[in-house]
Amino acid sequence: MKNFNRKILFLIVGILIFCNFEIVLAESELVGEISDNDIHDNYELQLEYLSGMAFSSRNVNNYNVHIFRKSKDNGAFSISYGGTFTRAVGATNPRQEGIWKDSNGVGIGPAGLLRWRKKVSGNFYAAWDFSGSFMFYNRAHPAEGRAYGFLWRTGPRFIWQYGENNSVSLGYSVSHFSNAMKKHNPGYNTLGFSLGLTHKF
């Protein structure tokens, strides 16, 4: 019951962050305004590989594609919305009885990204990302789970701005996948790298 309550609390905190962060950005006067044209024509593509870890009985790797469109930006904090496509490959031993079950799956769903960014030098920036995706899968994922769940990711990102409209970035993420339910919820953790490409049209 304690673990279930923690997952629900984690879910609620995440929803509150995504729902209320626009207010923080709108009211912040730390770094000033950025024009709407600079924001809404800004798209980011992330190609990501996450390797299964933390649970010896759950070995699932994720190959992810994230696409985001920036919605709000005050120069230090930004919020973006988009979607995630994932190909999960691996096997799990949910009952820890030595019986490994196929946990492959394909998923897609809406996503949101919160980012703190700070200029380091010249065109080089350091950032910290927090993102969440609500995923729908073609089957129960992982084995003995459900055909939906939350993919949470957080970690640092290093960004190189080249030209006025383009940037490339490298990120490192720790993630947690869970459907937040008390039963049929064999969640798992992953970690890995992502390559980001941003273009302003």
Side-chain angles (χ1 to χ4, degrees), residues 87-98:
R87 176 73 169 101
V89 179
T92 59
N93 176 19
R95 300 180 184 274
Q96 298 185 349
E97 297 174 345

Side-chain angles (χ1 to χ4, degrees), residues 95-113:
R95 300 180 184 274
Q96 298 185 349
E97 297 174 345
I99 301 175
W100 289 81
K101 297 185 178 183
D102 177 7
S103 289
N104 295 342
V106 175
I108 190 170
L113 168 67

Side-chain angles (χ1 to χ4, degrees), residues 111-167:
L113 168 67
L114 303 179
R115 172 173 293 163
W116 169 83
R117 189 179 76 162
K118 181 176 178 61
K119 187 173 184 177
V120 177
S121 176
N123 295 327
F124 181 67
Y125 297 80
W128 191 275
D129 289 356
F130 177 80
S131 70
S133 305
F134 184 53
M135 304 299 297
F136 299 92
Y137 287 85
N138 64 326
R139 59 188 295 188
H141 176 76
E144 299 192 12
R146 300 173 189 269
Y148 61 87
F150 296 91
L151 174 63
W152 302 105
R153 303 182 302 139
T154 188
R157 181 168 296 274
F158 302 97
I159 304 168
W160 177 260
Q161 183 82 33
Y162 63 97
E164 182 179 354
N165 300 320
N166 301 285
S167 66

Side-chain angles (χ1 to χ4, degrees), residues 1-199:
M1 186 66 179
K2 184 180 294 185
N3 290 335
F4 176 67
N5 290 336
R6 287 177 181 175
K7 291 172 182 176
I8 292 297
L9 178 62
F10 183 54
L11 173 61
I12 293 173
V13 170
I15 292 173
L16 289 175
I17 290 174
F18 280 113
C19 290
N20 293 297
F21 202 70
E22 286 194 34
I23 298 175
V24 175
L25 290 171
E27 296 179 349
S28 175
E29 298 179 355
L30 295 176
V31 291
E33 295 291 335
I34 294 178
S35 71
D36 287 342
N37 290 335
D38 288 336
I39 295 173
H40 296 299
D41 292 333
N42 193 306
Y43 289 85
E44 180 173 351
L45 172 68
Q46 294 181 8
L47 307 176
E48 181 176 57
Y49 170 71
L50 298 175
S51 175
M53 51 83 70
F55 297 118
S56 61
S57 60
R58 297 161 196 176
N59 185 11
V60 181
N61 300 328
N62 285 180
Y63 300 85
N64 300 329
V65 177
H66 310 278
I67 300 176
F68 295 106
R69 184 187 187 205
K70 190 175 291 184
S71 175
K72 294 289 184 181
D73 191 337
N74 71 358
F77 294 94
S78 65
I79 184 168
S80 302
Y81 297 103
T84 295
F85 173 82
T86 184
R87 176 73 169 101
V89 179
T92 59
N93 176 19
R95 300 180 184 274
Q96 298 185 349
E97 297 174 345
I99 301 175
W100 289 81
K101 297 185 178 183
D102 177 7
S103 289
N104 295 342
V106 175
I108 190 170
L113 168 67
L114 303 179
R115 172 173 293 163
W116 169 83
R117 189 179 76 162
K118 181 176 178 61
K119 187 173 184 177
V120 177
S121 176
N123 295 327
F124 181 67
Y125 297 80
W128 191 275
D129 289 356
F130 177 80
S131 70
S133 305
F134 184 53
M135 304 299 297
F136 299 92
Y137 287 85
N138 64 326
R139 59 188 295 188
H141 176 76
E144 299 192 12
R146 300 173 189 269
Y148 61 87
F150 296 91
L151 174 63
W152 302 105
R153 303 182 302 139
T154 188
R157 181 168 296 274
F158 302 97
I159 304 168
W160 177 260
Q161 183 82 33
Y162 63 97
E164 182 179 354
N165 300 320
N166 301 285
S167 66
V168 61
S169 65
L170 180 66
Y172 181 80
S173 296
V174 176
S175 81
H176 176 70
F177 178 81
S178 170
N179 61 41
M181 303 300 289
K182 184 175 181 180
K183 297 181 179 179
H184 303 291
N185 183 23
Y188 62 88
N189 298 334
T190 58
L191 55 81
F193 292 92
S194 65
L195 176 65
L197 301 171
T198 302
H199 179 72

